[in-house]
Amino acid sequence: GEHGRHGPLSRLRRLPQTTLLGMRGVFRRRGRAILTLLALSLAAIAFLAIQTTTYSVSVFLGQIFSQYNFDVALGVSKPLPAATVEAQVLALPNVARVERFEQVEVATQWGTVLMEATEPDPQVYHFDLLQGQLYTGNEPNVMLLSQVAARKTGLGVGDYMTFTSPTGTARWRVIGIVHDLNGGLVTIGTGFTTIANLNAFLGLPADEGGGFLIQARDRSPAAVNALAEQLDATFSAKGLAPSISTAQQQTARNQSQFQILYVLL
């Protein structure tokens, strides 16, 4: 009979009238429902994408800064005898190690390369050799190439790279391929050589330096910030207009570049 039938909407009749009206509206306007679901799906995808990207950026920066294992980077306004600068840095109480580290962009036929220069046996920067060999002394006109730059140029161990800068042109032999993810968005990767080689290319004395990486004994954020302030005071008093940044500041600066994308998504 009438009371024995249970149609597909019989139980829904017990729901509040406003709920029933809302459901009827959804099913009557299927286009609107599809667009709503599509918008929600895109929002979910965007959220997952930016969360994944944020995590990947953090991992990427962690890999870079574990290789460039410094606490404070120091730059002076003009190259000075490295021994003089290092002695002044080591005189500060919380310094464990200091070594020269230079960077200059050079132009090649494939694009810009970030040429980095280290001591022959660097202790702050850690090489991760993939092919060939590292430089162990001041062999002239040799370089290492990051795997990123090697892939983009097609160069390998034994090949030569020709590059230019405002100071002139050079042709160096690639003796090794190393793992290095530095370089930024405007370069094709990194190259490495000794500071003596780079200084010779730039027309500077071999013993001079303008950039230094410093490791602290106490590597806590507060202690590193205090060291950065001491370095600034020490070299500012000598009229050298120092450029000083901590690894924490550089990490935060790189992460902040992704915050606009994060907020938008």
Side-chain angles (χ1 to χ4, degrees):
E2 180 70 22
H3 297 288
R5 293 198 302 266
H6 297 283
L9 295 179
S10 60
R11 294 185 182 274
L12 290 181
R13 290 176 186 151
R14 300 175 185 173
L15 293 174
Q17 188 67 21
T18 54
T19 303
L20 289 173
L21 288 172
M23 294 179 66
R24 288 172 187 163
V26 168
F27 288 106
R28 285 176 182 172
R29 297 175 176 84
R30 294 182 180 178
R32 178 184 297 176
I34 292 172
L35 290 175
T36 301
L37 292 174
L38 180 60
L40 292 172
S41 298
L42 289 175
I45 292 171
F47 176 78
L48 292 175
I50 194 59
Q51 292 296 101
T52 302
T53 302
T54 302
Y55 173 77
S56 298
V57 168
S58 297
V59 171
F60 174 75
L61 291 175
Q63 291 176 347
I64 290 181
F65 283 98
S66 66
Q67 198 165 6
Y68 295 75
N69 190 22
F70 71 98
D71 294 300
V72 184
L74 166 67
V76 290
S77 56
K78 61 180 180 180
L80 295 172
T84 300
V85 176
E86 290 169 356
Q88 293 170 348
V89 172
L90 288 169
L92 298 176
N94 191 31
V95 175
R97 187 184 300 274
V98 55
E99 64 185 36
R100 286 184 294 177
F101 188 87
E102 308 287 355
Q103 293 180 325
V104 61
E105 291 184 354
V106 297
T108 74
Q109 67 184 84
W110 302 277
T112 301
V113 170
L114 180 63
M115 190 69 72
E116 303 186 328
T118 73
E119 302 290 3
D121 184 22
Q123 300 299 307
V124 177
Y125 179 84
H126 297 299
F127 279 119
D128 182 3
L129 182 66
L130 302 177
Q131 300 174 31
Q133 65 185 49
L134 300 175
Y135 43 75
T136 56
N138 289 323
E139 305 98 319
N141 304 325
V142 299
M143 64 179 293
L144 308 170
L145 206 56
S146 73
Q147 83 281 23
V148 177
R151 183 176 67 250
K152 292 180 179 179
T153 62
L155 297 178
V157 175
D159 293 332
Y160 286 81
M161 171 177 279
T162 299
F163 55 89
T164 61
S165 78
T167 62
T169 300
R171 184 173 181 264
W172 289 354
R173 181 168 58 91
V174 177
I175 62 171
I177 306 298
V178 295
H179 173 78
D180 187 276
L181 300 176
N182 197 19
L185 299 176
V186 297
T187 73
I188 62 170
T190 52
F192 291 86
T193 192
T194 62
I195 291 176
N197 271 337
L198 183 63
N199 280 6
F201 173 66
L202 298 176
L204 299 172
D207 66 338
E208 288 192 350
F212 300 84
L213 298 182
I214 301 165
Q215 283 182 345
R217 297 183 186 277
D218 181 353
R219 309 187 77 174
S220 65
V224 169
N225 289 336
L227 174 58
E229 292 176 359
Q230 291 172 335
L231 288 164
D232 184 59
T234 298
F235 289 93
S236 292
K238 299 180 183 299
L240 294 175
S243 172
I244 295 172
S245 62
T246 67
Q248 298 163 346
Q249 290 170 335
Q250 292 194 21
T251 299
R253 190 179 303 128
N254 281 278
Q255 289 176 329
S256 67
Q257 296 175 5
F258 295 89
Q259 291 305 307
I260 294 177
L261 177 63
Y262 184 90
V263 170
L264 287 175
L265 290 176

